Amino acid sequence: MTHRIHALPSQLINQIAAGEVVERPASVIKELVENSLDAGAASVDVEVVQGGVKRMRVRDDGLGISRDDLALALSRHATSKVASLEDLEGIRSMGFRGEALPSIASVSRLLLTSREHGADEAWSLDGDAGEPAPAAHPQGTTVDVQDLFYNTPARRKFLKTEKTEFRHLELVLRRLALARFDVAFKLQHNGRPVFSTRRADSVRERETRIAELLGQSFVDNSLRFEHEAAGLRLSGWIGLPAFSRSQADMQHFFVNGRMVRDKLVTHAIRQAYQDVLYHGRYPAYVLYLELAPQLVDVNVHPTKHEVRFREGRLVHDYLFRTLHQVLADARPEDMGAPMEAPPRPTAPVAAGAAVSRGTDMPPLVRESAESYQSAFHWQSPGSAPSPQSLQLPPAPLPEEGEVPPLGYALAQLHGVYILAQNAAGLVVVDMHAAHERITYERLKNSLEGQGIKSQPLLVPVSVKVSPREVQLAMDTRPLLQELGLELDQLDRDTLVIRALPTLLEGADAESLVRDLLADLVTHGSSERIREALNEVLSTVACHGSVRANRRLAVAEMNALLRDIENTERSGQCNHGRPTWTQLSMAELDKLFLRGR
């Protein structure tokens, strides 16, 4: 039997192309809505029946298509978006291959109706064949797709349930609505409205749209920012570490308005959260990267979900440094503390009362403010002296009506939590977790500055360890000295500790060294340890932090609150756990059914 080379029929060519472009109903909606956006639409309406398998109709008010171009729009490799290699290397439109409409038409019953801007009448064309026919239609275009994969039953069998297919379709449209705030979107499923968004120009309007699409909790627990450098511009909203997710379901990244999934981007963002994210959790974000079209190649994959940056290292470092700094700059006032205090209540000790001088100050708040005047460096080892015995410069009382974001300490609970009162209500602080972050940031700053200073031990401490750990300690001795730790070998299985970092004065030297040696064993070589230096510093910081069941004076608790407010990434400990939480008066009232 001979095999002769022959040309494929155009219908089969389109169906082969459809295999790359049209995976499921969600793929159809993505291609059609992106065409609407390229046509300059100000509003896009999407109607879906049976998850999109039965019917999908996309209507826009864009520029429209002329009668003479309708047939051409349904032929392969016909487009108005690129005309030369120069256009291809600087793509600004969402689509550019000219494959979507003919591919969709080859696996469905498609009807294209359009009225060009300024035209007196509209025209309609059946996807199968024929001539354009007059139609009633406003300016813009409607694409009606019915019976998806009716002529390719094998493809239809791979579709999931109606609920699953619609979930994918809805997610795609929500992402497109996040990408283009200047366009209004509507979605209906089986005749029922799913969501409807107006054009959003101001920041408040955009946050309203994000709340509609992702939930108000994301807006309430995210940081908005804008940053520009090196020809790159990054803006958007990044979720606070405490708002992390169990899966990567709230990660939306757009490059020049195009939604993308990119390993380089994901890695850079993950690194930015590395110091503050709990293990196994995923950050939430809506981010927009803008750069010259010539610096990013979108012609990488048929679905256009992937991109390739011409300066990948530059983009990676820019994303990491920008987001790392945004998270570092976040302070308690950005994380749920009130923007302004509520009116002074009549009750004498009600939370939220404005702090002021004089006898009308609530008693507990007055006591806290006075004790804070005598706050000292609360990391001092041993039992804390009473506030009256301290001889340090007093901290100024707050101005009339001012309350720090974390307020003033009221009490200590079971030696673990600090209870404080601020303008919004009650603040609960995990004192070990908070101090661990403070110590960790100070160690990092010291190491980046003049190095971590060490304090010789009055009595050196010997530690029995394995011979392997002794050898590792000696091999990495210069690095350990940089960390403020002086170790010597006493014999084959014994080390002697001669000095500890000054910041860790009073720490359990033996326990600290054992944990550090465990890190050395894990990372193996000094090079690996330097790469994971923050993990090592985190171990060190944990041992230098105040332990549970240690009683703190009110002055010490207030000093810790002020340190939290002034420390980078203080909302989470080194392991990603939250260090404090806020309970508003409304939340407390709800617990006790007040006002009902």
Side-chain angles (χ1 to χ4, degrees), residues 136-170:
H137 194 279
Q139 178 187 314
T141 302
T142 295
V143 183
D144 197 337
V145 178
Q146 298 188 47
D147 300 328
L148 185 64
F149 299 139
Y150 79 98
N151 55 356
T152 53
R155 296 288 305 279
R156 197 173 183 119
K157 289 179 181 178
F158 281 97
L159 295 177
K160 306 300 182 183
T161 63
E162 175 183 329
K163 183 178 179 181
T164 299
E165 292 301 337
F166 179 71
R167 188 174 70 246
H168 285 286
L169 185 153
E170 182 186 4

Side-chain angles (χ1 to χ4, degrees), residues 49 413 416 438:
V49 178
L413 181 64
V416 176
I438 292 166

Side-chain angles (χ1 to χ4, degrees), residues 134-400:
H137 194 279
Q139 178 187 314
T141 302
T142 295
V143 183
D144 197 337
V145 178
Q146 298 188 47
D147 300 328
L148 185 64
F149 299 139
Y150 79 98
N151 55 356
T152 53
R155 296 288 305 279
R156 197 173 183 119
K157 289 179 181 178
F158 281 97
L159 295 177
K160 306 300 182 183
T161 63
E162 175 183 329
K163 183 178 179 181
T164 299
E165 292 301 337
F166 179 71
R167 188 174 70 246
H168 285 286
L169 185 153
E170 182 186 4
L171 177 59
V172 164
L173 196 61
R174 287 182 183 274
R175 283 178 170 167
L176 287 165
L178 289 172
R180 293 292 298 270
F181 290 109
D182 59 327
V183 178
F185 291 86
K186 288 183 182 178
L187 174 62
Q188 287 187 356
H189 185 220
N190 293 336
R192 297 181 179 180
V194 178
F195 71 81
S196 176
T197 64
R198 302 183 196 175
R199 179 187 176 105
D201 295 321
S202 68
V203 171
R204 182 180 295 274
E205 290 172 340
R206 292 181 178 189
E207 290 187 341
T208 298
R209 174 178 288 196
I210 291 175
E212 291 172 354
L213 298 173
L214 301 182
Q216 184 63 44
S217 58
F218 173 79
V219 177
D220 293 341
N221 292 277
S222 62
L223 302 169
R224 191 184 72 85
F225 71 97
E226 296 180 10
H227 187 268
E228 190 168 358
L232 305 172
R233 185 176 186 275
L234 185 67
S235 61
W237 292 260
I238 57 171
L240 295 169
F243 188 69
S244 62
R245 313 278 293 177
S246 60
Q247 54 189 349
D249 62 337
M250 205 173 282
Q251 299 183 347
H252 305 281
F253 194 88
F254 305 92
V255 177
N256 292 344
R258 183 189 304 278
M259 53 184 180
V260 302
R261 295 191 297 262
D262 186 87
K263 291 181 180 179
L264 179 145
V265 168
T266 302
H267 183 266
I269 297 174
R270 190 78 180 172
Q271 273 199 319
Y273 274 90
Q274 188 176 26
D275 241 7
V276 292
L277 206 62
Y278 198 67
H279 300 299
R281 303 290 291 181
Y282 295 87
Y285 52 81
V286 177
L287 295 172
Y288 305 88
L289 177 65
E290 298 173 40
L291 70 168
Q294 293 77 15
L295 298 179
V296 57
D297 184 4
V298 300
N299 190 22
V300 177
H301 191 274
T303 62
K304 302 184 287 290
H305 277 309
E306 301 175 16
V307 296
R308 184 178 294 115
F309 297 102
R310 302 201 189 282
E311 297 289 343
R313 174 51 59 183
L314 172 66
V315 172
H316 181 281
D317 291 349
Y318 173 71
L319 292 175
F320 165 72
R321 294 182 186 279
T322 302
L323 298 179
H324 187 264
Q325 194 58 50
V326 170
L327 291 168
D329 291 342
R331 294 294 186 269
E333 54 264 37
D334 304 317
M335 302 184 187
M339 296 303 293
E340 57 184 41
R344 178 191 295 270
T346 55
V349 196
V355 179
S356 59
R357 295 183 179 86
T359 56
D360 64 336
M361 185 185 295
L364 285 173
V365 177
R366 182 173 66 251
E367 177 187 346
S368 296
E370 290 170 352
S371 66
Y372 182 58
Q373 284 188 314
S374 56
F376 62 99
H377 195 312
W378 70 285
Q379 295 186 69
S380 302
S383 58
S386 64
Q388 290 77 14
S389 67
L390 300 173
Q391 301 295 323
L392 292 177
L397 276 169
E399 296 296 327
E400 182 77 21

Side-chain angles (χ1 to χ4, degrees), residues 53-80:
V53 178
K54 181 65 177 175
R55 187 179 189 183
M56 292 171 280
R57 187 170 70 174
V58 176
R59 172 175 289 185
D60 67 57
D61 59 354
L63 295 175
I65 305 171
S66 70
R67 178 191 185 282
D68 296 337
D69 285 346
L70 281 178
L72 195 57
L74 294 180
S75 61
R76 292 193 75 214
H77 307 308
T79 180
S80 62

